[in-house]
Amino acid sequence: MLLLSLIVAHLLADFYLQTDRMVEDKLGSLKKHLLHHFIVNTIVLVGGWFLFNKQTDPMMAVVLPVIFITSSHLIIDLFKIKLIDQYTASYNFNSLWFFVLDQLLHGTMLLAALQLFYRVPMVSSIQRFLELLFTEGRQLDAATVLLVIFIILILGTTVSGHIVRILLGSLPGQLLTFEGKYSFKNEWKEPLSPRNKGESGLSEQYSYMIFNKHDMSRGKLIGYIERLLVILLTYYSSYPAIAFIVTAKSIARFKQMDDRDWAEYFLLGTLTSMFLGILFGILLRELLN
């Protein structure tokens, strides 16, 4: 339960207390970001010590674990910033691997903190997780169930949205919202000489692509609701209903599909979002059933 609480604290500090401006200026906002992690981890560990481990030395149960987790987070973030500056100029597929590696390292440091200060071996924690996935008939207490559901909700909304944004990159301005294509034809004609019948002249055709600025916050909210629905439907094995969501979303964007760049952008985002929603829905079902 303590590990799940620390995971929740990490996700809250990394994806809810960290603003978009802090993400853009990661190095300049590093102190503020670390302060968020220090505060939320302190709250979790103090609460755990007060409720379950009051007989334990608070130095070993709270102070040293918080220092270890925050310090390791600083080292990992500095290493990641250096790698991103060296190997990536913008959001791309390499950035996704750095993001996944970053989160795995943070999770490993949480396991290491439990082993160092709470005498909970990393192997036993991983084994416990695998038992929850593959062992039938186990019973989870209400607090653990709530923590699992909360973690899946965070993974299925904010974390998944960040992964989709990394894969897609920033939306090009000319592809914000495609409204339609209009063509105009301008002709100028003059009669030929009396010997020749017919007309001669010039003909020009102009085509215009009409776009509207898109409210990105609405797209983010739609993505959150979409993945939550997919997680819920996957949990109840209602896979045909997921196809209905994809169809409804495609109909809503039908006019924009005239532009190939937008269609590819839309397809990549939708498939990634659906994949993550189904993945977390299966994980939730295996952990709770």
Side-chain angles (χ1 to χ4, degrees), residues 102-122:
D102 171 66
Q103 297 303 315
L104 288 177
L105 288 175
H106 289 315
T108 302
M109 291 301 101
L110 295 180
L111 292 173
L114 291 180
Q115 178 166 334
L116 290 173
F117 305 106
Y118 287 87
R119 300 296 186 267
V120 180
M122 296 176 64

Side-chain angles (χ1 to χ4, degrees), residues 67-77 105-106 109-110:
I67 294 175
F68 176 81
I69 293 172
T70 307
S71 301
S72 63
H73 198 98
L74 171 62
I75 296 172
I76 293 171
D77 276 6
L105 288 175
H106 289 315
M109 291 301 101
L110 295 180

Side-chain angles (χ1 to χ4, degrees), residues 185-227:
K185 191 173 184 180
N186 183 27
E187 293 185 349
W188 174 76
K189 297 180 180 180
E190 63 177 3
L192 294 178
S193 61
R195 296 181 180 179
N196 300 323
K197 297 181 179 180
E199 296 178 336
S200 67
L202 298 175
S203 177
E204 295 178 324
Q205 184 169 337
Y206 304 90
S207 296
Y208 298 90
M209 307 289 285
I210 307 301
F211 299 91
N212 245 345
K213 188 174 181 180
H214 182 58
D215 186 356
M216 299 303 291
S217 61
R218 286 187 301 175
K220 181 187 294 186
L221 180 60
I222 290 172
Y224 286 2
I225 297 174
E226 170 190 303
R227 286 187 293 275

Side-chain angles (χ1 to χ4, degrees), residues 1-4 6 45 52-53 56 60-61 65 68 107-129:
M1 182 175 174
L2 181 58
L3 176 60
L4 294 178
L6 289 174
L45 291 174
F52 306 108
N53 298 302
T56 308
M60 288 294 295
F68 176 81
T108 302
M109 291 301 101
L110 295 180
L111 292 173
L114 291 180
Q115 178 166 334
L116 290 173
F117 305 106
Y118 287 87
R119 300 296 186 267
V120 180
M122 296 176 64
V123 176
S124 66
S125 298
I126 297 173
Q127 184 178 1
R128 172 62 175 164
F129 176 74

Side-chain angles (χ1 to χ4, degrees), residues 7 47 56 66 69 75 78 90 92 97 103 129 193 203 259 272:
I7 292 174
T56 308
V66 168
I69 293 172
I75 296 172
L78 288 175
S90 59
N92 53 31
W97 289 115
Q103 297 303 315
F129 176 74
S193 61
S203 177
D259 183 73
T272 305

